Amino acid sequence: ASATAARGTALQQVGDYYASGMDTARLTSLGVTPIKAELDAIAVDSPTALAKTLARLLTLLNEPVMAAVLVSTDLADSTRYAVFMADGELPLGLDNYLKPEGASIRKAYGEMIAAKLVIAGSSPADAARIAAKVIEIETRVARKKLTPVQMHDPNVRFVRMPFAKAQALVSNIDLPAYFAALGLPAQGDIIVMNGAALAERNAMLEELPASDTRDYLRWELLKVTSPY
């Protein structure tokens, strides 16, 4: 019935959505073609380019990537909104990055990353290299993340600071450009979550070649979109 339903009706839209998901032959043939333009558009060669890339990924994926900016209720005043900045989520629990008993999980995780990168067009050698770098980056961040106990303390979890201090924390990301891309004012206070992890990400932006950051963000895009 949905195939003959009038265009724009709920029946037609839901039917088309369902049919597209069930058409596994077409999904297989398309591969990563639907996101190729987004993969190619990831630019990290300057703080401004990186800021615009992060804003695009946040808008596209609705997932925190590297340094996510979001608006939510102000913790100190429920009648107003506040801007939050948070470190991106890590796929594995902290222990699986940091403890010896997590080695088998890290190994399987790296193999999964590499396999998906190969499907997306990387050579096996490049895929293995990128997977190792992703785990290296995430492990460094994991070392700086708040512990579960610390996360229960709102005074530790949420740190209010002036915009200028937040910009200094992530000096290799052009925060005014990031905020402009999201339609947010680049002023006032920012509530920062996991500031030490954000500082570690900022340090890696300084230390690592731009190609590593680009590979990492391309993986983040692929990771979130691969179920589709």
Side-chain angles (χ1 to χ4, degrees), residues 51-112:
K52 292 179 178 178
T53 290
L54 292 178
R56 174 59 182 167
L57 289 173
L58 182 62
T59 303
L60 184 70
L61 303 176
N62 195 32
E63 293 277 351
V65 176
M66 189 178 288
V69 176
L70 62 146
V71 176
S72 189
T73 305
D74 192 321
L75 300 169
D77 182 357
S78 62
T79 67
R80 64 193 294 268
Y81 289 105
V83 179
F84 293 72
M85 184 168 68
D87 172 58
E89 297 294 327
L90 296 177
L92 307 182
L94 296 186
D95 285 352
N96 289 327
Y97 287 103
L98 304 177
K99 293 191 175 181
E101 52 265 38
S104 61
I105 293 174
R106 292 192 296 272
K107 181 175 183 293
Y109 177 52
E111 291 169 350
M112 181 272 290

Side-chain angles (χ1 to χ4, degrees), residues 4 8 14 27 31 41 74 79 88-89 93 97 107 116 121 133 141 156 172 198 205 210 213:
T4 57
V14 172
L27 289 171
D74 192 321
T79 67
E89 297 294 327
Y97 287 103
K107 181 175 183 293
K116 289 192 175 186
K133 183 58 65 173
V141 173
V156 173
N172 292 300
L198 285 168
L205 289 172
T213 301

Side-chain angles (χ1 to χ4, degrees), residues 160-175:
R160 190 183 299 267
M161 63 181 66
F163 186 91
K165 188 173 180 180
Q167 174 62 96
L169 185 69
V170 288
S171 57
N172 292 300
I173 302 172
D174 184 345
L175 272 196

Side-chain angles (χ1 to χ4, degrees), residues 114-130 215 218 222:
K116 289 192 175 186
L117 289 170
V118 168
I119 292 172
S122 295
S123 69
D126 281 345
R129 174 183 56 79
I130 294 169
D215 286 339
R218 283 168 62 90
L222 185 64

